[in-house]
Amino acid sequence: MNNLILISITVMSGLLVIYHHLGYPLLLRYLTKDKMRTKNQQANRFYVNSTADDLLPTIAIIMPAYNEAQWIAEKIRNLSVLDYPTNRLQIIIGCDGCSDDTYHLACATAKEPECEHLDIKVLDFKVNQGKVAVVNALVADVDCELVALSDTSALLSIDSLLIAAQRFNDPTIGVLNGHYRLIKPGSAGEQAYWDYQSQIKLSEAVLGSTLGAHGAFYMFRRALFEPLAADTINDDFILPMKIVEAGYRAEYEDTINALELESANNNQDHQRRRRIAAGNFQQLLRLKKLLLPRYKGIAFSFISGKALRVLMPFMMITSLLGSLWLAADYWLFMLLAIIQLSAYCIATYQLIRKPKNSHKVSKLLAYLVSGHIAGLIGTLRYLFRLDKGHWTKTSSPEQYSNNK
């Protein structure tokens, strides 16, 4: 009887691991293969003002910034070349208690000849408040129809706002995500992971809504904004999904490109993924309504993609330990134990030795395993309330996060 219970738990854990990593993406592709949206044909303005500009929605681009001196000038110059009427666009930069020269560089760049046409406001918060507090304050102060949040280290394609404006002609859309791209991936595993995430988001949108957004660039209707709780960790998930919870769709637009300039080293990437893991657990608690059957495809994606991601490190450990325990009595579990140990050994070797000519699969395996280790640590630290101070600034893809 005891063996039967252990076998059931071990098999179920293993099947959920396989489903989350392989079954869900394949099932998602199958369910959406005949329903993919055709790409929009966007008519460019070619930077020529016309009376048709008055029909475009007003947009505010909001950028909370903490110690972004390396990127802020290039970001403002990038915004200056976006093809969108100046009188319909407002840019607000909130320098959140920066200890570097971010504020002065932003002010100086805004006065450059190629940027001086922008309606840009640079605010200097003397005391660091955290990203969530700055977002709440800045969004509350704008009255534009649409609000875009964007990282300072992410450059936008020049027709981004025109494409976004066209997509928001659909009144059911509350949030729009751009396509996140890395100029210099930290590893082949990281590149493969983000390619996979982009495909997942495209498929999720077909089923009902993408889950969350990426801080590099996403846009939402100002009227739908709800101030974020002060202790929010993954703000770029909670904010858009609150809008989805209210009955609107979050869409994905792969012709809007947000190109990430900053790359993270292994330590920064580990810290970022720990924080995201803690946020994944938090958002599961705060958005549990989205698990209800009435949300249909959104609930399916939320359970398969996000809820299982929180549980995945625990499922992997359970599957391995259960297989090792049962290996002495069952040859099938001995085989499963060998397969799992082999995979973890390959990942460990890749992470420690970092061989230059290793196969792409081993790099991806190492990236996934290291991510789940970070996820386990982040979830446990959240559960036991060990991260009581502020989250520190990390590198790509999230620039900095919430204070206590």
Side-chain angles (χ1 to χ4, degrees):
M1 183 65 178
N2 289 339
N3 261 11
L4 183 60
I5 294 173
L6 182 57
I7 289 171
S8 300
I9 293 173
T10 302
V11 170
M12 181 60 67
S13 297
L15 290 176
L16 287 174
V17 171
I18 295 171
Y19 171 73
H20 177 70
H21 290 97
L22 296 175
Y24 171 55
L26 292 175
L27 183 58
L28 202 57
R29 181 175 296 184
Y30 173 76
L31 292 173
T32 61
K33 64 179 180 179
D34 298 323
K35 302 176 184 178
M36 284 298 188
R37 180 181 55 81
T38 56
K39 291 186 177 181
N40 291 326
Q41 296 297 319
Q42 177 62 41
N44 293 319
R45 290 174 67 247
F46 300 106
Y47 302 94
V48 177
N49 296 328
S50 71
T51 55
D53 290 345
D54 294 334
L55 301 177
L56 291 171
T58 53
I59 296 176
I61 298 179
I62 289 177
M63 293 181 294
Y66 176 67
N67 290 351
E68 301 291 351
Q70 183 178 1
W71 312 110
I72 194 65
E74 288 307 313
K75 177 67 173 190
I76 294 173
R77 292 169 189 144
N78 168 239
L79 297 179
S80 74
V81 300
L82 297 184
D83 190 7
Y84 206 77
T86 303
N87 65 339
R88 313 295 288 176
L89 177 62
Q90 182 181 8
I91 298 166
I92 305 173
I93 301 172
C95 299
D96 187 23
C98 298
S99 58
D100 66 0
D101 209 25
T102 301
Y103 174 73
H104 298 292
L105 282 171
C107 292
T109 307
K111 295 176 182 177
E112 291 177 355
E114 62 268 32
C115 303
E116 60 183 4
H117 66 282
L118 293 174
D119 177 7
I120 184 168
K121 184 189 298 182
V122 184
L123 303 176
D124 188 18
F125 296 93
K126 298 299 183 183
V127 178
N128 181 261
Q129 304 176 56
K131 182 180 178 182
V132 166
V134 173
V135 168
N136 283 341
L138 297 185
V139 176
D141 200 38
V142 300
D143 59 1
C144 295
E145 297 165 72
L146 303 175
V147 173
L149 292 175
S150 184
D151 288 340
T152 55
S153 61
L155 303 184
L156 306 180
S157 45
I158 61 173
D159 55 356
S160 298
L161 302 185
L162 286 176
I163 295 172
Q166 184 187 61
R167 293 304 307 276
F168 276 101
N169 285 333
D170 183 344
T172 68
I173 294 178
V175 181
L176 184 68
N177 297 280
H179 176 48
Y180 180 67
R181 305 183 67 179
L182 298 167
I183 193 171
K184 189 179 179 182
S187 66
E190 184 179 19
Q191 181 63 62
Y193 174 78
W194 285 111
D195 289 343
Y196 158 82
Q197 284 295 322
S198 296
Q199 185 58 47
I200 289 290
K201 285 191 176 297
L202 197 58
S203 299
E204 287 172 346
V206 175
L207 284 186
S209 283
T210 58
L211 298 186
H214 197 288
F217 177 84
Y218 69 100
M219 187 177 289
F220 56 91
R221 297 184 190 274
R222 167 64 183 86
L224 303 179
F225 174 75
E226 292 182 14
L228 295 160
D231 64 342
T232 301
I233 300 173
N234 291 350
D235 55 276
D236 51 8
F237 190 93
I238 296 287
L239 193 162
M241 294 313 290
K242 280 292 184 182
I243 294 175
V244 170
E245 191 178 66
Y248 292 84
R249 292 190 299 118
E251 262 287 0
Y252 179 79
E253 181 52 68
D254 59 356
T255 61
I256 295 177
N257 291 295
L259 181 64
E260 179 63 62
L261 301 179
E262 189 172 14
S263 58
N265 60 39
N266 289 335
N267 182 60
Q268 290 169 323
D269 189 56
H270 177 79
Q271 294 293 327
R272 174 183 64 81
R273 293 163 92 180
R274 265 180 49 185
R275 180 180 69 80
I276 291 174
N280 285 342
F281 188 81
Q282 182 190 70
Q283 69 203 23
L284 187 60
L285 298 176
R286 296 186 178 181
L287 294 166
K288 54 184 177 291
K289 281 176 59 178
L290 292 176
L291 299 172
L292 297 175
R294 71 168 182 263
Y295 286 98
K296 299 179 182 177
I298 299 169
F300 165 71
S301 297
F302 195 33
I303 293 169
S304 301
K306 297 300 181 182
L308 281 182
R309 185 174 301 174
V310 173
L311 300 175
M312 202 45 46
F314 305 97
M315 294 293 173
M316 293 167 73
I317 292 171
T318 301
S319 177
L320 177 59
L321 293 180
S323 297
L324 289 171
W325 185 271
L326 294 165
D329 298 320
Y330 303 94
W331 68 265
L332 177 59
F333 285 100
M334 179 179 292
L335 177 62
L336 292 175
I338 292 172
I339 292 172
Q340 291 174 81
L341 286 173
S342 298
Y344 294 137
C345 286
I346 292 171
T348 301
Y349 178 78
Q350 180 71 38
L351 290 169
I352 295 174
R353 299 299 299 270
K354 299 179 178 61
K356 294 182 179 179
N357 298 320
S358 54
H359 195 274
K360 183 178 179 180
V361 173
S362 64
K363 291 179 180 179
L364 179 58
L365 186 62
Y367 189 77
L368 289 173
V369 169
S370 66
H372 287 307
I373 292 171
L376 177 63
I377 296 171
T379 301
L380 291 176
R381 290 185 69 85
Y382 182 83
L383 279 171
F384 292 104
R385 302 183 181 277
L386 297 177
D387 290 307
K388 295 181 180 179
H390 68 272
W391 294 89
T392 57
K393 181 181 185 294
T394 62
S395 190
S396 167
E398 282 77 20
Q399 295 308 296
Y400 83 106
S401 50
N402 184 42
N403 283 350
K404 178 174 66 174

